[in-house]
Coordinates of all heavy atoms in Angstrom, one line a residue:
M495 N 0.8 -1.2 0.0 CA 0.0 0.0 0.0 C 0.9 1.3 0.0 O 0.7 2.2 -0.8 CB -0.9 0.0 1.2 CG -2.0 -1.1 1.2 SD -3.3 -0.7 0.1 CE -4.5 0.2 1.2
G496 N 1.9 1.3 0.9 CA 2.7 2.4 1.0 C 3.6 2.7 -0.2 O 4.1 3.8 -0.4
L497 N 3.7 1.7 -1.0 CA 4.5 1.9 -2.2 C 3.8 2.8 -3.3 O 4.5 3.4 -4.1 CB 4.8 0.5 -2.9 CG 6.0 -0.2 -2.2 CD1 6.2 -1.6 -2.9 CD2 7.3 0.6 -2.4
K498 N 2.5 2.8 -3.2 CA 1.8 3.5 -4.2 C 1.6 5.0 -3.8 O 1.0 5.3 -2.8 CB 0.4 2.9 -4.5 CG 0.5 1.5 -5.1 CD -0.8 1.0 -5.6 CE -0.6 -0.3 -6.3 NZ -1.9 -0.9 -6.7
P499 N 2.1 5.9 -4.7 CA 1.9 7.3 -4.4 C 0.4 7.7 -4.6 O -0.3 7.1 -5.3 CB 2.8 7.9 -5.4 CG 2.9 7.0 -6.6 CD 2.7 5.6 -6.0
T500 N 0.1 8.7 -3.9 CA -1.3 9.3 -4.0 C -1.4 10.2 -5.2 O -0.3 10.6 -5.7 CB -1.7 10.1 -2.7 OG1 -0.8 11.1 -2.6 CG2 -1.6 9.2 -1.5
C501 N -2.6 10.5 -5.6 CA -2.8 11.5 -6.7 C -2.1 12.8 -6.4 O -1.5 13.4 -7.2 CB -4.3 11.7 -6.9 SG -5.1 10.3 -7.6
K502 N -2.2 13.2 -5.1 CA -1.6 14.5 -4.7 C 0.0 14.4 -4.9 O 0.5 15.4 -5.5 CB -1.9 14.7 -3.2 CG -1.7 16.1 -2.8 CD -2.2 16.2 -1.3 CE -1.7 17.6 -0.7 NZ -2.0 17.6 0.7
E503 N 0.6 13.3 -4.5 CA 2.0 13.2 -4.7 C 2.4 13.2 -6.2 O 3.4 13.8 -6.6 CB 2.5 11.9 -4.0 CG 4.0 11.8 -4.1 CD 4.6 10.6 -3.5 OE1 3.8 9.8 -2.9 OE2 5.8 10.3 -3.5
V504 N 1.6 12.5 -7.0 CA 1.9 12.4 -8.4 C 1.7 13.8 -9.1 O 2.6 14.2 -9.9 CB 1.0 11.4 -9.1 CG1 1.1 11.5 -10.6 CG2 1.3 10.0 -8.6
H505 N 0.7 14.5 -8.7 CA 0.6 15.9 -9.2 C 1.8 16.7 -8.9 O 2.3 17.5 -9.7 CB -0.7 16.6 -8.6 CG -1.9 16.2 -9.4 ND1 -2.9 17.2 -9.7 CD2 -2.4 15.1 -9.9 CE1 -3.9 16.6 -10.4 NE2 -3.6 15.3 -10.5
R506 N 2.3 16.6 -7.7 CA 3.5 17.3 -7.2 C 4.7 16.9 -8.1 O 5.4 17.8 -8.5 CB 3.7 17.1 -5.7 CG 4.9 17.9 -5.2 CD 5.1 17.7 -3.7 NE 5.4 16.3 -3.4 CZ 6.6 15.7 -3.5 NH1 7.6 16.5 -3.9 NH2 6.8 14.5 -3.2
L507 N 4.8 15.6 -8.3 CA 6.0 15.1 -9.0 C 5.9 15.6 -10.5 O 6.9 16.0 -11.1 CB 6.0 13.6 -9.0 CG 6.5 13.0 -7.7 CD1 6.3 11.5 -7.8 CD2 7.9 13.4 -7.4
V508 N 4.7 15.6 -11.1 CA 4.6 16.0 -12.5 C 4.9 17.5 -12.6 O 5.7 17.9 -13.5 CB 3.1 15.8 -12.9 CG1 2.9 16.5 -14.3 CG2 2.8 14.3 -13.1
S509 N 4.5 18.3 -11.6 CA 4.8 19.7 -11.6 C 6.3 20.0 -11.4 O 6.9 20.8 -12.1 CB 4.0 20.4 -10.5 OG 2.6 20.2 -10.7
E510 N 6.9 19.3 -10.5 CA 8.3 19.4 -10.2 C 9.1 19.0 -11.4 O 10.2 19.5 -11.6 CB 8.7 18.7 -8.9 CG 8.2 19.4 -7.7 CD 8.7 18.7 -6.4 OE1 9.7 17.9 -6.5 OE2 8.2 19.0 -5.3
G511 N 8.6 18.0 -12.1 CA 9.3 17.5 -13.3 C 9.5 18.5 -14.3 O 10.4 18.4 -15.2
L512 N 8.7 19.6 -14.3 CA 8.9 20.7 -15.2 C 10.1 21.5 -14.9 O 10.8 22.1 -15.8 CB 7.7 21.6 -15.2 CG 6.4 21.0 -15.7 CD1 5.3 22.0 -15.5 CD2 6.5 20.5 -17.1
D513 N 10.5 21.6 -13.6 CA 11.6 22.4 -13.2 C 12.9 21.7 -12.9 O 14.0 22.3 -13.0 CB 11.2 23.1 -11.9 CG 10.0 24.0 -12.1 OD1 9.9 24.6 -13.1 OD2 9.2 24.1 -11.1
R514 N 12.8 20.4 -12.6 CA 14.0 19.7 -12.3 C 13.9 18.2 -12.8 O 12.8 17.8 -13.1 CB 14.3 19.7 -10.8 CG 13.2 18.9 -10.0 CD 13.6 18.8 -8.6 NE 12.6 18.2 -7.8 CZ 12.5 16.9 -7.5 NH1 13.5 16.1 -8.0 NH2 11.6 16.4 -6.8
D515 N 15.0 17.5 -12.9 CA 15.0 16.1 -13.3 C 14.5 15.3 -12.1 O 15.1 15.4 -11.0 CB 16.3 15.7 -13.8 CG 16.6 16.2 -15.2 OD1 15.7 16.5 -15.9 OD2 17.8 16.4 -15.5
L516 N 13.6 14.5 -12.3 CA 13.1 13.6 -11.2 C 14.1 12.4 -11.1 O 14.7 12.0 -12.1 CB 11.7 13.1 -11.5 CG 10.6 14.2 -11.6 CD1 9.3 13.5 -12.0 CD2 10.5 14.9 -10.4
S517 N 14.2 11.9 -9.9 CA 15.0 10.7 -9.7 C 14.3 9.5 -10.3 O 13.2 9.5 -10.7 CB 15.2 10.5 -8.2 OG 14.0 10.0 -7.6
L518 N 15.1 8.5 -10.5 CA 14.6 7.3 -11.1 C 13.4 6.7 -10.3 O 12.4 6.3 -10.9 CB 15.7 6.2 -11.2 CG 15.6 5.2 -12.3 CD1 15.7 5.9 -13.6 CD2 16.7 4.2 -12.2
V519 N 13.5 6.7 -9.0 CA 12.5 6.2 -8.1 C 11.2 7.1 -8.3 O 10.1 6.5 -8.4 CB 12.9 6.2 -6.6 CG1 11.8 5.8 -5.7 CG2 14.1 5.3 -6.5
E520 N 11.4 8.4 -8.3 CA 10.2 9.3 -8.4 C 9.5 9.0 -9.8 O 8.3 9.0 -9.8 CB 10.7 10.7 -8.4 CG 11.0 11.2 -6.9 CD 11.7 12.5 -6.9 OE1 12.4 12.9 -7.8 OE2 11.4 13.3 -5.9
R521 N 10.3 8.9 -10.8 CA 9.7 8.6 -12.1 C 9.0 7.3 -12.2 O 7.9 7.2 -12.8 CB 10.8 8.6 -13.2 CG 10.7 9.9 -14.0 CD 11.8 9.9 -15.1 NE 13.1 10.3 -14.6 CZ 14.2 10.4 -15.3 NH1 14.1 10.2 -16.6 NH2 15.3 10.7 -14.8
W522 N 9.5 6.3 -11.5 CA 8.9 5.0 -11.4 C 7.6 5.1 -10.7 O 6.6 4.6 -11.2 CB 9.8 4.0 -10.7 CG 10.4 3.0 -11.6 CD1 11.6 2.9 -12.2 CD2 9.7 1.8 -12.0 NE1 11.7 1.8 -12.9 CE2 10.5 1.1 -12.8 CE3 8.4 1.3 -11.7 CZ2 10.1 -0.1 -13.4 CZ3 8.0 0.1 -12.3 CH2 8.9 -0.6 -13.1
R523 N 7.6 5.7 -9.6 CA 6.3 5.9 -8.8 C 5.3 6.6 -9.6 O 4.1 6.2 -9.6 CB 6.6 6.6 -7.5 CG 7.4 5.8 -6.5 CD 8.0 6.7 -5.4 NE 6.9 7.3 -4.6 CZ 6.4 6.6 -3.5 NH1 6.8 5.4 -3.2 NH2 5.5 7.2 -2.8
M524 N 5.7 7.6 -10.3 CA 4.8 8.4 -11.1 C 4.2 7.5 -12.2 O 3.0 7.5 -12.5 CB 5.6 9.6 -11.7 CG 4.7 10.7 -12.2 SD 5.6 12.2 -12.6 CE 6.5 11.7 -14.0
R525 N 5.1 6.8 -12.9 CA 4.7 6.0 -14.1 C 3.7 4.9 -13.6 O 2.7 4.6 -14.3 CB 5.9 5.4 -14.7 CG 5.6 4.9 -16.1 CD 6.8 4.7 -16.9 NE 7.6 5.9 -17.2 CZ 8.7 5.9 -17.9 NH1 9.2 4.7 -18.4 NH2 9.4 7.0 -18.1
L526 N 4.0 4.3 -12.5 CA 3.1 3.2 -12.0 C 1.7 3.7 -11.7 O 0.7 3.1 -12.0 CB 3.7 2.6 -10.7 CG 4.9 1.6 -10.9 CD1 5.4 1.2 -9.6 CD2 4.4 0.4 -11.7
H527 N 1.7 4.9 -11.1 CA 0.4 5.5 -10.8 C -0.3 5.9 -12.0 O -1.5 5.7 -12.1 CB 0.7 6.7 -9.9 CG -0.6 7.4 -9.4 ND1 -1.3 7.0 -8.3 CD2 -1.4 8.3 -10.0 CE1 -2.4 7.7 -8.2 NE2 -2.5 8.5 -9.2
L528 N 0.4 6.4 -13.0 CA -0.3 6.9 -14.2 C -0.9 5.7 -15.0 O -1.9 5.9 -15.7 CB 0.7 7.6 -15.2 CG 1.3 8.9 -14.6 CD1 2.3 9.5 -15.6 CD2 0.2 9.9 -14.4
M529 N -0.4 4.5 -14.8 CA -0.9 3.4 -15.5 C -2.3 3.0 -14.9 O -3.1 2.4 -15.6 CB 0.0 2.2 -15.3 CG 1.2 2.3 -16.3 SD 2.1 0.7 -16.4 CE 2.8 0.5 -14.8
V530 N -2.6 3.3 -13.7 CA -3.8 2.9 -13.1 C -4.8 4.1 -12.8 O -5.9 3.9 -12.4 CB -3.6 2.2 -11.7 CG1 -2.8 0.9 -12.0 CG2 -2.9 3.1 -10.8
C531 N -4.3 5.3 -13.1 CA -5.2 6.5 -12.7 C -5.4 7.4 -13.9 O -4.4 8.0 -14.4 CB -4.5 7.3 -11.6 SG -5.5 8.7 -11.1
D532 N -6.6 7.4 -14.4 CA -6.9 8.2 -15.6 C -6.7 9.7 -15.4 O -6.3 10.4 -16.2 CB -8.3 7.9 -16.1 CG -8.3 6.5 -16.8 OD1 -7.3 6.0 -17.1 OD2 -9.5 6.0 -17.0
A533 N -7.2 10.1 -14.2 CA -7.2 11.5 -13.9 C -5.7 12.1 -13.9 O -5.5 13.1 -14.5 CB -7.8 11.7 -12.5
C534 N -4.8 11.3 -13.3 CA -3.4 11.8 -13.3 C -2.8 11.6 -14.7 O -1.9 12.4 -15.1 CB -2.6 11.0 -12.3 SG -3.0 11.5 -10.6
G535 N -3.3 10.7 -15.4 CA -2.7 10.5 -16.8 C -3.1 11.7 -17.6 O -2.2 12.2 -18.4
A536 N -4.3 12.2 -17.5 CA -4.8 13.4 -18.2 C -4.0 14.6 -17.8 O -3.5 15.4 -18.6 CB -6.2 13.6 -18.0
F537 N -3.7 14.7 -16.5 CA -3.0 15.8 -15.9 C -1.6 15.8 -16.4 O -1.0 16.8 -16.9 CB -3.0 15.7 -14.4 CG -2.2 16.8 -13.7 CD1 -2.7 18.1 -13.7 CD2 -1.0 16.5 -13.1 CE1 -2.0 19.1 -13.1 CE2 -0.3 17.6 -12.5 CZ -0.8 18.8 -12.5
S538 N -1.0 14.6 -16.4 CA 0.4 14.5 -16.9 C 0.5 14.9 -18.4 O 1.5 15.5 -18.8 CB 0.9 13.1 -16.7 OG 2.1 12.9 -17.4
K539 N -0.5 14.5 -19.1 CA -0.4 14.8 -20.6 C -0.5 16.3 -20.8 O 0.2 16.8 -21.7 CB -1.6 14.1 -21.2 CG -1.3 13.5 -22.6 CD -2.5 12.8 -23.2 CE -2.2 11.3 -23.3 NZ -3.3 10.6 -23.9
Q540 N -1.4 16.9 -20.0 CA -1.5 18.4 -20.2 C -0.2 19.1 -19.8 O 0.2 20.0 -20.5 CB -2.6 18.9 -19.2 CG -4.0 18.8 -19.8 CD -5.0 19.5 -18.9 OE1 -4.7 19.7 -17.7 NE2 -6.1 19.8 -19.4
M541 N 0.4 18.7 -18.8 CA 1.7 19.3 -18.3 C 2.8 19.0 -19.4 O 3.6 19.9 -19.7 CB 2.1 18.7 -17.0 CG 1.2 19.1 -15.9 SD 1.0 20.9 -15.7 CE 2.3 21.3 -14.6
D542 N 2.7 17.9 -20.0 CA 3.7 17.5 -21.1 C 3.5 18.5 -22.2 O 4.5 19.0 -22.8 CB 3.5 16.1 -21.5 CG 4.7 15.5 -22.1 OD1 5.8 15.7 -21.6 OD2 4.6 14.9 -23.2
L543 N 2.3 18.7 -22.6 CA 2.0 19.6 -23.7 C 2.5 21.0 -23.4 O 3.1 21.7 -24.2 CB 0.5 19.6 -24.0 CG -0.1 18.4 -24.8 CD1 -1.6 18.6 -24.9 CD2 0.5 18.4 -26.2
L544 N 2.2 21.4 -22.2 CA 2.6 22.7 -21.7 C 4.2 22.9 -21.8 O 4.7 23.9 -22.2 CB 2.2 22.9 -20.3 CG 2.0 24.3 -19.8 CD1 0.8 25.0 -20.4 CD2 1.8 24.3 -18.3
R545 N 4.8 21.8 -21.3 CA 6.3 21.9 -21.3 C 6.8 22.0 -22.8 O 7.8 22.7 -23.0 CB 6.9 20.6 -20.6 CG 8.4 20.6 -20.6 CD 8.9 19.5 -19.8 NE 8.3 18.2 -20.2 CZ 8.6 17.1 -19.5 NH1 9.4 17.1 -18.5 NH2 8.1 15.9 -19.9
R546 N 6.2 21.2 -23.6 CA 6.7 21.2 -25.0 C 6.5 22.6 -25.6 O 7.3 23.1 -26.4 CB 6.0 20.2 -25.9 CG 6.8 18.9 -25.9 CD 6.0 17.9 -26.7 NE 5.9 16.6 -25.9 CZ 5.5 15.5 -26.5 NH1 5.2 15.4 -27.7 NH2 5.5 14.4 -25.7
A547 N 5.3 23.2 -25.3 CA 5.0 24.6 -25.8 C 6.0 25.5 -25.3 O 6.5 26.4 -26.0 CB 3.6 25.0 -25.4
M548 N 6.4 25.4 -24.0 CA 7.4 26.3 -23.5 C 8.8 26.1 -24.1 O 9.5 27.1 -24.3 CB 7.5 26.1 -21.9 CG 6.3 26.6 -21.2 SD 6.6 26.8 -19.4 CE 6.9 25.1 -19.0
Q549 N 9.1 24.9 -24.4 CA 10.4 24.6 -25.0 C 10.5 25.2 -26.4 O 11.5 25.7 -26.8 CB 10.6 23.1 -25.1 CG 11.2 22.5 -23.8 CD 11.2 21.0 -23.8 OE1 10.7 20.4 -24.7 NE2 11.9 20.4 -22.9
Q550 N 9.4 25.1 -27.1 CA 9.4 25.7 -28.5 C 9.5 27.2 -28.4 O 10.1 27.8 -29.3 CB 8.0 25.3 -29.2 CG 8.1 23.9 -29.7 CD 6.8 23.5 -30.4 OE1 5.8 24.2 -30.3 NE2 6.8 22.4 -31.1
L551 N 9.1 27.8 -27.4 CA 9.2 29.3 -27.3 C 10.6 29.7 -27.0 O 11.1 30.7 -27.4 CB 8.3 29.8 -26.1 CG 6.8 29.8 -26.4 CD1 6.1 30.3 -25.1 CD2 6.5 30.8 -27.5
T552 N 11.4 28.8 -26.4 CA 12.8 29.1 -26.0 C 13.8 28.7 -27.1 O 14.9 29.1 -27.1 CB 13.2 28.5 -24.7 OG1 13.0 27.1 -24.7 CG2 12.3 29.1 -23.6
I553 N 13.3 27.8 -28.0 CA 14.3 27.4 -29.1 C 14.5 28.5 -30.1 O 13.5 29.1 -30.6 CB 13.7 26.1 -29.8 CG1 13.7 24.9 -28.8 CG2 14.5 25.8 -31.0 CD1 13.1 23.7 -29.4
P554 N 15.7 28.8 -30.3 CA 16.0 29.9 -31.3 C 15.5 29.5 -32.7 O 15.6 28.4 -33.1 CB 17.5 30.1 -31.3 CG 18.0 28.8 -30.7 CD 16.9 28.3 -29.8
D555 N 15.1 30.5 -33.4 CA 14.5 30.2 -34.7 C 15.6 30.1 -35.8 O 16.1 31.0 -36.3 CB 13.6 31.4 -35.1 CG 12.9 31.1 -36.5 OD1 12.9 30.0 -36.9 OD2 12.4 32.1 -37.1
D556 N 16.1 28.8 -35.9 CA 17.2 28.6 -36.9 C 16.7 27.7 -38.0 O 17.5 27.0 -38.7 CB 18.4 28.1 -36.2 CG 18.1 26.8 -35.5 OD1 16.9 26.3 -35.6 OD2 19.0 26.2 -34.9
A557 N 15.4 27.8 -38.3 CA 14.9 26.9 -39.4 C 15.4 27.4 -40.7 O 15.6 28.6 -40.9 CB 13.4 27.0 -39.4
G558 N 15.8 26.5 -41.5 CA 16.3 26.9 -42.8 C 17.8 26.8 -42.9 O 18.4 26.8 -43.9
Q559 N 18.4 26.7 -41.7 CA 19.9 26.6 -41.7 C 20.3 25.2 -41.8 O 19.8 24.3 -41.2 CB 20.5 27.2 -40.4 CG 20.5 28.7 -40.3 CD 21.2 29.2 -39.1 OE1 21.6 28.4 -38.2 NE2 21.2 30.5 -38.9
E560 N 21.4 25.0 -42.6 CA 21.9 23.6 -42.7 C 22.8 23.3 -41.5 O 23.5 24.1 -41.1 CB 22.8 23.5 -44.0 CG 22.0 23.9 -45.3 CD 21.3 22.7 -45.9 OE1 21.5 21.6 -45.3 OE2 20.5 22.9 -46.8
P561 N 22.7 22.1 -41.0 CA 23.5 21.7 -39.9 C 25.0 21.5 -40.4 O 25.2 21.1 -41.5 CB 23.0 20.3 -39.5 CG 22.2 19.8 -40.7 CD 21.7 21.0 -41.4
D562 N 25.9 22.0 -39.6 CA 27.3 21.9 -40.0 C 27.8 20.5 -40.1 O 27.6 19.7 -39.2 CB 28.2 22.6 -38.9 CG 28.0 24.1 -39.1 OD1 27.5 24.6 -40.1 OD2 28.3 24.8 -38.1
E563 N 28.5 20.2 -41.1 CA 29.0 18.8 -41.3 C 30.5 18.9 -41.1 O 31.2 19.7 -41.8 CB 28.7 18.3 -42.6 CG 27.3 17.6 -42.6 CD 27.1 16.8 -43.9 OE1 28.0 16.2 -44.5 OE2 25.9 16.7 -44.3
K564 N 31.0 18.1 -40.2 CA 32.5 18.2 -40.0 C 33.1 16.8 -40.2 O 32.5 15.8 -40.0 CB 32.8 18.6 -38.6 CG 32.4 20.1 -38.4 CD 32.7 20.6 -37.1 CE 32.4 22.1 -37.0 NZ 32.4 22.6 -35.6
Ligands
LIG707 ZN1 -4.0 9.7 -9.6

């Protein structure tokens, strides 16, 4: 019983995952919970979309440039 994180803990981990790298154990607990909890799965998906959107905002616009070949 104690091994399973609560929804509250998973929400916290998902949020913290945006700011820092989660430990292997934290990621495992989160993933296990997401497999059995639809609500947290939806929450995690939303946060993932948000993170990707934020990353795209910070990526410099270098479209059209050829990658250097060395
Ligand atoms: Zn949950």
Side-chain angles (χ1 to χ4, degrees):
M495 293 283 270
L497 278 176
K498 293 194 176 174
T500 62
C501 289
K502 199 175 165 187
E503 184 181 355
V504 169
H505 275 222
R506 184 178 60 82
L507 287 175
V508 170
S509 301
E510 286 187 13
L512 296 177
D513 297 325
R514 64 175 176 92
D515 285 334
L516 300 176
S517 74
L518 209 63
V519 174
E520 285 172 325
R521 254 181 282 183
W522 246 100
R523 286 163 70 82
M524 197 167 73
R525 199 165 291 183
L526 280 176
H527 183 89
L528 292 180
M529 282 195 289
V530 297
C531 181
D532 287 344
C534 286
F537 178 73
S538 167
K539 217 177 246 181
Q540 273 187 341
M541 292 305 267
D542 201 46
L543 283 174
L544 204 70
R545 178 170 55 182
R546 268 178 229 193
M548 286 194 301
Q549 278 174 346
Q550 280 182 345
L551 284 178
T552 56
I553 290 174
D555 182 17
D556 58 0
Q559 280 186 2
E560 300 275 353
D562 288 340
E563 274 189 34
K564 289 181 179 170

